[in-house]
Amino acid sequence: MKKILVINGSPNKKGHTKNIVEKVLSTIDTSKADIINVDCYKKQIMPCVDCKGCSHKIGQCSIKDDMEPIYDYLKNCDIIILASPMYFGMFPAPLKAIMDRCQLIWSEKYIFNKTTKPKKGILIFDGGTEWKNMYMPMETIAKYFFNTLNCTIEYKLFIANTDKDHHYLENNAASILSCQETISNLLEI
Ligand SMILES: Cc1cc2nc3c(=O)[nH]c(=O)nc-3n(C[C@H](O)[C@H](O)[C@H](O)COP(=O)(O)O)c2cc1C
């Protein structure tokens, strides 16, 4: 049974990001995958304070909060779906806090030479408007994040104009289908 970790950066329970993720996951064969959802806004996660605890002792974070089980999910899942709205060109702060707290996993990899198991990643980003290369900054940060997690990017589903286009699911049907097919194929590996 594969483990799919869905990290959702949106505060909206019934928002566009949730809508897109639900559509993408609607075709998944649930006998082949356990889905673990992390809704960033429901978690109490402090920002990294660069205490250097994790660079002195492997796996050690001085902050004890909701991040503790998330480290385990991030290290042991097979597929990561990183789903997020764009906030001023970037990830919302609670999701960025999770990324920064992964300094613990960065230290394991680059200071203690211990990499986590290989994983496959899917990016799902949405934004209210549209401009050229709008997702480039988020994609770059996601690459750094996934590098630390030993996760390769297998599909990028970027949806724009969610605030104006009420038919964004239908209008992005082809790329949503490709995303679904990518995940189905990953579950077969
Ligand atoms: C604080 C804030 C900042 C935003 N910044 C951007 C932005 O830079 N570019 C953009 O296209 N949309 C921006 N939006 C719109 C959201 O990205 C868009 O509505 C998104 O689809 C919301 O997803 P959700 O319903 O899952 O929360 C912003 C919205 C908020 C609340």
Side-chain angles (χ1 to χ4, degrees):
M1 188 79 128
K2 293 257 163 75
K3 284 188 192 137
I4 302 179
L5 174 64
V6 182
I7 304 175
N8 188 332
S10 167
N12 292 308
K13 280 190 204 122
K14 294 184 179 168
H16 303 308
T17 313
K18 188 83 182 168
N19 217 4
I20 299 163
V21 167
E22 278 178 2
K23 183 75 186 171
V24 165
L25 295 181
S26 64
T27 53
I28 282 197
D29 181 349
T30 47
S31 69
K32 290 187 178 150
D34 270 338
I35 298 172
I36 305 158
N37 287 293
V38 170
D39 283 329
C40 301
Y41 277 81
K42 285 192 192 153
K43 305 291 176 190
Q44 297 296 319
I45 294 174
M46 297 288 293
C48 174
V49 291
D50 192 17
C51 69
K52 301 184 173 55
C54 65
S55 61
H56 291 126
K57 195 169 173 196
I58 187 166
Q60 179 83 37
C61 181
S62 65
I63 305 170
K64 305 297 173 209
D65 60 12
D66 289 347
M67 196 60 202
E68 288 181 68
I70 297 175
Y71 286 128
D72 187 52
Y73 304 150
L74 287 165
K75 289 179 191 179
N76 296 312
C77 68
D78 301 285
I79 297 170
I80 301 175
I81 298 179
L82 183 64
S84 181
M86 174 187 284
Y87 277 11
F88 286 92
M90 190 36 64
F91 297 103
L95 172 52
K96 184 61 168 58
I98 289 184
M99 292 178 172
D100 290 352
R101 290 285 297 283
C102 285
Q103 182 68 4
L104 177 147
I105 300 175
W106 185 94
S107 295
E108 285 186 353
K109 181 173 179 181
Y110 293 105
I111 296 176
F112 298 101
N113 293 319
K114 185 186 169 197
T115 49
T116 58
K117 78 179 211 194
K119 297 162 199 85
K120 305 290 184 189
I122 306 285
L123 303 181
I124 299 178
F125 298 159
D126 55 289
T129 58
E130 185 167 30
W131 64 85
K132 197 169 175 235
N133 296 328
M134 67 188 279
Y135 291 110
M136 206 168 67
M138 289 169 75
E139 188 184 341
T140 303
I141 305 301
K143 271 186 202 160
Y144 296 151
F145 181 50
F146 276 3
N147 264 345
T148 293
L149 299 173
N150 202 11
C151 183
T152 52
I153 297 173
E154 302 295 325
Y155 196 84
K156 295 179 268 190
L157 177 59
F158 297 162
I159 295 185
N161 281 321
T162 54
D163 292 345
K164 294 177 221 154
D165 176 8
H166 300 300
H167 301 286
Y168 60 83
L169 288 182
E170 294 87 334
N171 290 335
N172 290 278
S175 39
I176 290 171
L177 180 64
S178 299
C179 187
Q180 290 170 328
E181 286 170 352
T182 303
I183 298 171
S184 298
N185 292 338
L186 293 174
L187 291 177
E188 297 300 329
I189 298 171

